[in-house]
């Protein structure tokens, strides 16, 4: 995460070639960027009365996963955002319509909460609505507008004391034991958490050897639930497992909690219109219930302004869904790009309607609920 330098340079140059005003390293974030286009109709230019010009926001994600590449299809999300922005620009020009377009290149979705950083820096303030999409497995030519899980990341470090594991083990404080106990406690905790909750993590070490009592262990955990409020409750229960492990082994513990990614709050009016539009492109609605297992920092965007984040199906192999090497292969195929273009066209139509239909945009804004 935060290493999308090639994508940053490639996409900013591409957007400039299509007549967008581009801001590189947007808001001080090294791999974030912004592409703007503003169009004033002939009627607006001659009118003496000022009118409100609305702004369509779009997101392009870029980052990949360690070792397995674009196993979540952010390469497709990137081109979807680019396609929507360029198509919307063409529509405004061809049909002589007022409108502003803002495409944000959003880095570090996978673990860095890049959109949260952009929100805090005011990156979404001037948008009336924001759109993006996400690929996944599912029925052919289908798309859905289901929810996602809220998420908080936790990093825990245990500090103990080394000793000879055979000659004097009683002199040591075993950090690996602390990590093991915490892992086991959370495994037991899972029996008492709700079916819609998720807790999963890994442990790491340094300079481990079987004849040395380990003096250091690190764990990285993700805590998920259908809402941010539920995440907070579950996080406290998980934290108690960490504390208990430190207490029982005599190790020192340090813990750091990441920014919370909120659940997706899909705008109901945008969702309804989108599901109507996709039928014109040979697509059908799908519940995409499996998508609830995932999380995204776009959830935080949906709490800031009216937004839509549909998922859509690309062909995959069995057991080759998101975050697998099989999905990396699927996301680079020609048919996956064709699926992405269909969704991009539908989102362009949706965005143009929001820009130009005052009644519809009011309904969209009335449906927005900012309460956390």
């Amino acid at each position: 995460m935060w290493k999308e330098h090639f994508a940053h340079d490639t996409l900013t140059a591409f957007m400039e070639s299509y007549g967008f005003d581009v801001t590189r390293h947007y808001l001080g974030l090294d791999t974030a960027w912004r592409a703007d286009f503003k169009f004033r109709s002939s009627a607006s230019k001659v009118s003496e009365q000022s009118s409100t010009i609305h702004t369509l926001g779009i997101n392009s994600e870029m980052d990949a996963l360690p070792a397995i590449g674009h196993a979540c299809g952010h390469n497709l999300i990137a081109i979807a955002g680019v396609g929507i922005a360029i198509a919307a620009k063409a529509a405004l020009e061809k049909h002589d319509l007022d409108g502003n377009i803002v495409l944000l290149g959003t880095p570090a979705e996978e673990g860095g909460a890049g959109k949260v950083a952009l929100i805090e820096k005011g990156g979404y303030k001037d948008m009336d609505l924001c759109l993006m999409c996400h690929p996944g497995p599912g029925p052919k030519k289908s798309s859905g507008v289901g929810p996602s899980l809220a998420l908080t990341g936790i990093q825990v470090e245990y500090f103990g004391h080394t000793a000879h594991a055979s000659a004097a083990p009683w002199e040591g404080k075993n950090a690996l034991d602390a990590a093991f106990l915490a892992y086991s406690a959370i495994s037991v905790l899972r029996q008492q958490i709700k079916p819609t909750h998720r807790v999963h993590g890994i442990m790491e070490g340094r300079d481990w050897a079987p004849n040395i009592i380990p003096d250091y262990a690190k764990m990285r955990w993700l805590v998920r639930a259908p809402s941010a409020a539920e995440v907070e409750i579950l996080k406290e229960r998980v934290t108690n497992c960490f504390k208990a492990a430190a207490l029982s082994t005599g190790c020192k513990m340090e813990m750091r909690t990441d920014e919370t990614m909120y659940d997706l709050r899909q705008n109901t009016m945008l969702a309804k219109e989108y599901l109507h539009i996709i039928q014109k492109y040979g697509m059908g609605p799908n519940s995409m219930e499996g998508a609830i297992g995932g999380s995204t920092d776009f959830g935080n965007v949906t709490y800031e302004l009216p937004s839509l984040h549909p998922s859509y199906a690309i062909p995959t192999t069995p057991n080759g869904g998101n975050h697998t090497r099989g999905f990396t292969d699927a996301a680079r195929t020609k048919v996956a790009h064709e699926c992405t273009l269909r969704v991009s066209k539908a989102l362009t139509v949706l965005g143009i309607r929001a820009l130009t239909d005052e009644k519809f945009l009011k309904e969209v804004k009335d449906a927005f609920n900012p309460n956390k």
Side-chain angles (χ1 to χ4, degrees), residues 3 61 91 96 212 237 279 335:
K3 296 180 180 180
E61 293 178 355
D96 196 26
I212 302 172
R237 299 176 71 186
Q279 297 177 49
V335 66

Side-chain angles (χ1 to χ4, degrees), residues 305-326:
L305 72 160
S307 305
L308 189 69
H309 180 288
S311 54
Y312 65 97
I314 64 171
T316 57
T317 57
N319 300 319
N322 297 69
H323 290 214
T324 68
R325 295 184 187 277

Side-chain angles (χ1 to χ4, degrees), residues 203-208 216-218:
M203 63 177 71
E204 305 171 7
R206 65 185 180 211
D207 302 326
W208 284 354
Y216 177 80
K218 181 171 76 172

